[in-house]
Amino acid sequence: QVQLVESGGGLVQAGASLRLSCTVSASEQILGRSAMAWFRQAPGKEREFVAGIMWSTNSAHYSDSVKARFAISRDNAKNTMYLQLNSLKAEDTAVYYCAADVNYGIKDVSTSQYIYDYWGQGTQVTVSS
């Protein structure tokens, strides 16, 4: 029903930038009611919310740790969500996942991983200091 494929991770030095992409296979009807998000998980740590976006309104929400450095966006024509990562730090090293919440009546992006119905396979971001 919904498939998510991430790309764009890599190994960079501190201070560099990366852009992650999440290509979404889903109907327009599903996308129109969806909230999409990026999460990340570092070794030995819990998966944490990074940023999310309401597909229909383009309204975005960020975690405090990244909101001055990262930017989430989506391209409706390409069915793709992006995460621009700027001024990367060693502590940003993690596997980054995109996720989709396709429930009816979504009012806003949720920061809880348990709300999301579909997940991509993840893309590794490694920042060397």
Side-chain angles (χ1 to χ4, degrees):
Q1 188 178 13
V2 178
Q3 290 186 324
L4 307 174
V5 179
E6 302 100 333
S7 61
L11 170 63
V12 296
Q13 291 189 330
S17 297
L18 278 175
R19 189 175 78 159
L20 307 183
S21 300
C22 174
T23 302
V24 185
S25 297
S27 68
E28 284 187 25
Q29 183 180 24
I30 289 175
L31 278 177
R33 69 171 189 258
S34 295
M36 304 287 296
W38 289 96
F39 286 77
R40 67 185 181 186
Q41 188 166 21
K45 293 190 176 182
E46 295 276 323
R47 189 172 297 189
E48 65 171 350
F49 173 83
V50 176
I53 191 166
M54 294 295 293
W55 194 271
S56 61
T57 64
N58 216 22
S59 173
H61 180 74
Y62 297 91
S63 70
D64 288 341
S65 63
V66 308
K67 64 183 176 183
R69 300 183 295 122
F70 293 3
I72 191 170
S73 62
R74 60 102 174 100
D75 185 329
N76 204 31
K78 296 182 179 179
N79 276 20
T80 301
M81 176 176 68
Y82 302 99
L83 186 67
Q84 179 69 38
L85 292 70
N86 299 320
S87 303
L88 281 161
K89 305 175 182 179
E91 51 263 42
D92 295 317
T93 294
V95 178
Y96 285 70
Y97 298 90
C98 65
D101 173 7
V102 302
N103 292 296
Y104 288 96
I106 300 168
K107 296 290 192 291
D108 204 352
V109 171
S110 173
T111 60
S112 170
Q113 61 174 311
Y114 303 107
I115 295 296
Y116 291 83
D117 311 287
Y118 298 93
W119 293 83
Q121 82 286 356
T123 186
Q124 177 71 47
V125 172
T126 304
V127 184
S128 63
S129 56

